[in-house]
Amino acid sequence: MVRTWVIFVILTVAAWGLYGVLLHKGQTAMKDDTVDDEKDAAPRRYKAFLFVGIAYLLVAVIGSAVMLSSTGAEWTFTGNGVKWSFLAGVVGAIGAFGVLLAFGAKGKPAVVMSIVFAGAPIVNAVVATLSHPPEGGWSAVRWQFVLGILLAATGGCLVMYFRPES
């Protein structure tokens, strides 16, 4: 029997897997008659990012408000919860902006997103392990965990080195 959390993970993988391709299509489809798109495509990236923000507003802010209301949750928030959650949102937005800047620097979606999704788990694994160390510290970390990190790094390097030429 499939656990519910696995379904949500698959949903996230599918959504984030499509994210880079759709974002690239969005920025390339934006037009700005005030600048020469061939010389400066930055306005197109910023316009695309604006709509990423609007989508976050609709899905994250309004969606969360509806879910909180429908579950009868109290509308009280802790300072630490607000601080860490807001920081998570800022870091997520910076990451999305970094993806757009990478596209603007001639990065291709297949390569950019592959490196992002190979590198992000490495950062997550190291920071999470440092933040919540296992009993016994790093010496208690199994070799398979370290191998997974090395394989993710290797995969990112292979994607970059053997990227398809357009």
Side-chain angles (χ1 to χ4, degrees):
M1 175 184 242
V2 175
R3 298 189 185 271
T4 305
W5 68 267
V6 174
I7 294 168
F8 296 138
V9 168
I10 292 168
L11 170 70
T12 303
V13 167
W16 287 359
L18 292 171
Y19 177 74
V21 173
L22 297 175
L23 188 57
H24 188 262
K25 283 185 175 289
Q27 80 159 27
T28 57
M30 289 289 180
K31 298 293 179 204
D32 192 328
D33 293 335
T34 62
V35 295
D36 181 358
D37 273 352
E38 297 304 316
K39 291 183 180 175
D40 184 15
R44 295 188 320 192
R45 285 190 294 281
Y46 306 146
K47 287 179 179 183
F49 194 56
L50 173 67
F51 281 90
V52 168
I54 292 170
Y56 269 96
L57 172 69
L58 292 174
V59 175
V61 176
I62 296 171
S64 295
V66 168
M67 295 303 288
L68 285 169
S69 293
S70 70
T71 60
E74 293 181 9
W75 286 82
T76 58
F77 305 92
T78 64
N80 261 349
V82 169
K83 175 181 74 176
W84 288 110
S85 300
F86 184 79
L87 184 59
V90 168
V91 170
I94 290 169
F97 193 55
V99 166
L100 276 171
L101 294 175
F103 292 159
K106 306 290 187 238
K108 302 295 182 218
V111 177
V112 170
M113 298 313 292
S114 295
I115 293 170
V116 166
F117 290 133
I122 295 169
V123 172
N124 178 74
V126 171
V127 172
T129 304
L130 290 171
S131 300
H132 308 284
E135 288 185 36
W138 275 92
S139 61
V141 172
R142 294 184 302 210
W143 67 267
Q144 295 94 334
F145 179 81
V146 176
L147 178 62
I149 291 173
L150 293 174
L151 288 172
T154 302
C157 290
L158 289 172
V159 166
M160 179 62 185
Y161 187 75
F162 295 108
R163 66 187 174 275
E165 297 300 325
S166 52

